[in-house]
Amino acid sequence: MTRVLLAELDSNPRRVRKSIRSAARALCDAGLSRSLTENVELAVTEAVNNVIEHGYGGRSGGIILIEYEMIADTLKLTILDQSQGMADTHLPSGRLPDLMVEKSDLPEGGYGWFIIRSLTRRQHYSRHEGWNRLSLTFDL
Amino acid sequence: MALLSSSGSGDFQVLGVNTDRIDAAIAIQFKEDMRNATLEGPERVILDLSAVEFIDSSGLGAIVAAKKQLVDGKNLELAGLNPMVEKVMRLTRMDTVFSLHATLEDAIETRL
């Protein structure tokens, strides 16, 4: 099966909500379980948030595409963008921040990649001809 | 509409969240509103999340930040977690950081 365009987004935190929700709903209508649809919406939201914040520096007007592909018993979602890309192509480890600390030391960030890794079987980043591609594979 | 509505008796303050999402788009405002809403009042603060259907890591961070902002002696409990919100909380082990109550009634009836 080839990759199918699911949604085209503008890098604006408010506007992406609706687009990602619609994309997830489309997959749900196509038969994805409710639980998996939630996981997809959450993982894609985390990935898109990273693109907006770290890729496009919080600026609107950046293009983000979401494509999907069903391969055997997995669903692969690819988030594409044209921002500067990751300096280090190694994906963040996504280890859960240490919570057994004093209240004042509780981390407010670092949960995003942990959430992505927890919800997906595999993640892969590549960059080609000005496009960043992050693919997330979910077990069906 | 304001993000939070405040109510409660002398023993506790209930902060009702009026949005269905706590995410990147409103995390900063949420943190600010929480700080303003908890400057005064009782030590026990219960965040009623019954209207919230979705939180992401930004929303999670904002709730953690809200807890950190509380004046010493105050504590923040979470109530009314819908399935997706509870999923995120348990996945990130936030149940070790916050008391989680299925409903607001449960929270109010619990004496810590």
Side-chain angles (χ1 to χ4, degrees), chain A residues 17 39 46 49 106 108, chain B residues 23 56-57 61 68 87 91:
Chain A
R17 294 163 146 187
N39 293 354
E46 296 294 342
N49 284 347
L106 278 172
E108 294 169 40
Chain B
D23 61 2
D56 60 11
S57 61
K68 288 166 73 172
K87 184 193 284 192
L91 184 66

Side-chain angles (χ1 to χ4, degrees), chain A residues 43 47 69-79 91-92 113 115-125 133-139:
Chain A
E69 205 174 348
M70 303 274 201
I71 308 165
D73 53 355
T74 67
L75 167 67
K76 186 156 119 178
L77 276 136
T78 306
I79 294 100
L91 296 173
W113 266 97
I115 290 173
I116 291 173
R117 283 193 187 270
S118 299
L119 300 177
T120 56
R121 164 193 278 274
R122 195 165 52 243
Q123 319 83 29
H124 181 69
Y125 170 79
R133 283 194 199 145
L134 177 66
S135 66
L136 304 176
T137 303
F138 300 80
D139 288 330

Side-chain angles (χ1 to χ4, degrees), chain B residues 54-103:
Chain B
F54 181 94
I55 63 166
D56 60 11
S57 61
S58 307
L60 195 60
I63 294 175
V64 171
K67 176 186 165 86
K68 288 166 73 172
Q69 282 170 163
L70 292 176
V71 168
D72 275 342
K74 281 198 176 193
N75 69 294
L76 182 65
E77 298 164 57
L78 309 181
L81 280 73
N82 287 312
M84 212 242 168
V85 176
E86 183 165 3
K87 184 193 284 192
V88 174
M89 288 296 175
R90 295 202 187 274
L91 184 66
T92 55
R93 318 268 166 81
M94 284 295 146
D95 48 348
T96 66
V97 174
F98 297 96
S99 295
L100 305 183
H101 305 279
T103 65

Side-chain angles (χ1 to χ4, degrees), chain A residues 45-59:
Chain A
T45 296
E46 296 294 342
V48 168
N49 284 347
N50 285 338
V51 168
I52 293 174
E53 191 185 332
H54 303 294
Y56 290 122
R59 290 184 307 275

Side-chain angles (χ1 to χ4, degrees), chain A:
Chain A
M1 188 198 181
T2 51
R3 288 217 304 264
V4 176
L5 181 67
L6 194 56
E8 181 173 332
L9 281 49
D10 167 68
S11 60
N12 177 290
R14 275 201 184 268
R15 287 200 282 272
V16 295
R17 294 163 146 187
K18 221 187 213 177
S19 308
I20 296 172
R21 172 60 54 93
S22 301
R25 192 157 285 156
L27 292 175
C28 193
D29 290 343
L32 217 63
S33 73
R34 194 214 181 109
S35 180
L36 188 52
T37 303
E38 283 177 355
N39 293 354
V40 165
E41 184 177 0
L42 184 53
V44 169
T45 296
E46 296 294 342
V48 168
N49 284 347
N50 285 338
V51 168
I52 293 174
E53 191 185 332
H54 303 294
Y56 290 122
R59 290 184 307 275
S60 295
I63 188 171
I64 302 172
L65 303 178
I66 303 175
E67 297 178 345
Y68 82 97
E69 205 174 348
M70 303 274 201
I71 308 165
D73 53 355
T74 67
L75 167 67
K76 186 156 119 178
L77 276 136
T78 306
I79 294 100
L80 298 98
D81 74 272
Q82 290 193 305
S83 72
Q84 69 208 358
M86 306 210 294
D88 177 2
T89 54
H90 287 110
L91 296 173
S93 70
R95 252 196 319 274
L96 187 63
D98 186 4
L99 301 179
M100 295 287 112
V101 296
E102 292 294 317
K103 175 172 109 171
S104 58
D105 293 330
L106 278 172
E108 294 169 40
Y111 301 102
W113 266 97
F114 172 78
I115 290 173
I116 291 173
R117 283 193 187 270
S118 299
L119 300 177
T120 56
R121 164 193 278 274
R122 195 165 52 243
Q123 319 83 29
H124 181 69
Y125 170 79
S126 62
R127 185 172 168 84
H128 184 64
E129 288 181 358
W131 285 94
N132 300 301
R133 283 194 199 145
L134 177 66
S135 66
L136 304 176
T137 303
F138 300 80
D139 288 330
L140 285 173

